Amino acid sequence: MFDIYTIIFLALAVFIFLRLRSVLGQRTGRERPPYDPYSAREVRGATNDNVVTLPGRGGETAQKPVDTSEPGERWKGIAETGSALAAGLDSIVREDKTFDGKHFVAGARAAYEMIVLAYAEGDRRTLKNLLSREVYEGFEAAIRERENKGETVETRFVAIDKSDVTDAELRGRTAQITIRFVSQLVSVTRDREGAVIEGSPEKVTDVTDVWTFARDLSSRDPNWKLVATEAGQ
């Protein structure tokens, strides 16, 4: 014989089961889309896998034909039609038909900010993933010298005003694209006692950098790496 409490609990269990079955498997419209490993990653809140993917998938060449219907519009906002820059970009897209200029610039901007901040913080892991071996060695030597002196750098981006593609070429199977960044940032260097020895924690400084990114188009690795830097005018 069941007592009254057992009957009540059984009734509640049946009710809860029926309610759950009515909603399980239903879509609410708030689900996140599938993760795309080839999309440009946001620099803020990056995970430990700090590789910025500048678009250009090696595995989809045959699936996405080059759009030749309006070649004059292909590099709109990036290069003038008929210019040497446009010709260089055309040579890249002939070898990598998934290359998209605007997506590349967006990814390069994210990489630029990430690299500048990683250098200031002495984040070697991030730098190693984003730089060529030669460039990394130069950055790492500067970080090591700074650490030996007990100096620290604090850097904060205010804005990236411009990111203009200035050169593009295909060397063999290696694509190289140069971008001129004009940014505003706040940067200050302190000694081991915390005294300011360079820069200012309040002053916004205009900075121009000319960076060259490269990628081996024959590789399945979709990532571009920084291969050259110089101060711009």
Side-chain angles (χ1 to χ4, degrees):
M1 297 292 294
F2 294 102
D3 58 33
I4 186 64
Y5 295 107
T6 302
I7 293 174
I8 292 174
F9 286 133
L10 285 174
L12 286 172
V14 172
F15 175 76
I16 292 171
F17 170 76
L18 292 175
R19 292 289 295 172
L20 286 173
R21 190 177 66 173
S22 70
V23 299
L24 286 176
Q26 292 185 356
R27 290 184 175 272
T28 65
R30 298 176 64 87
E31 292 81 7
R32 293 186 179 185
Y35 173 69
D36 181 1
Y38 297 101
S39 63
R41 300 182 185 175
E42 185 69 18
V43 66
R44 302 186 188 281
T47 65
N48 287 334
D49 185 12
N50 290 316
V51 178
V52 176
T53 303
L54 306 183
R57 309 185 197 189
E60 294 187 357
T61 300
Q63 300 177 14
K64 185 180 177 183
V66 178
D67 181 9
T68 57
S69 57
E70 294 184 39
E73 296 294 315
R74 182 182 300 160
W75 309 122
K76 185 177 181 180
I78 298 176
E80 294 184 6
T81 303
S83 65
L85 176 56
L89 292 168
D90 285 338
S91 67
I92 292 174
V93 84
R94 278 195 296 269
E95 295 296 324
D96 181 1
K97 296 178 174 58
T98 65
F99 177 80
D100 183 287
K102 291 182 179 178
H103 289 172
F104 175 86
V105 172
R109 286 169 65 94
Y112 174 66
E113 185 172 349
M114 180 180 286
I115 291 169
V116 170
L117 295 179
Y119 171 72
E121 296 167 1
D123 185 351
R124 291 174 172 83
R125 181 174 181 178
T126 295
L127 294 174
K128 200 164 189 176
N129 286 329
L130 294 170
L131 313 181
S132 68
R133 181 176 58 82
E134 294 80 5
V135 175
Y136 173 77
E137 288 175 352
F139 276 48
E140 200 280 330
I143 292 172
R144 188 170 60 251
E145 180 181 1
R146 190 174 70 205
E147 291 174 342
N148 291 337
K149 294 179 179 178
E151 298 175 353
T152 57
V153 177
E154 302 165 10
T155 298
R156 175 173 57 87
F157 267 90
V158 176
I160 299 178
D161 296 325
K162 293 182 179 180
S163 49
D164 299 326
V165 178
T166 60
D167 188 49
E169 62 177 323
L170 188 65
R171 296 184 176 182
R173 291 286 294 165
T174 299
Q176 289 193 358
I177 299 178
T178 300
I179 297 185
R180 181 177 180 269
F181 296 99
V182 178
S183 62
Q184 297 180 43
L185 53 84
V186 176
S187 185
V188 58
T189 303
R190 302 179 186 272
D191 62 18
R192 63 177 70 253
E193 281 75 36
V196 175
I197 59 176
E198 186 177 352
S200 168
E202 289 89 23
K203 182 180 178 180
V204 177
T205 303
D206 295 325
V207 178
T208 301
D209 288 302
V210 180
W211 286 13
T212 300
F213 297 89
R215 174 176 175 256
D216 181 356
L217 300 184
S218 62
S219 171
R220 290 188 175 184
D221 183 357
N223 299 302
W224 296 67
K225 290 196 174 185
L226 179 64
V227 297
T229 67
E230 62 178 294
Q233 299 297 325

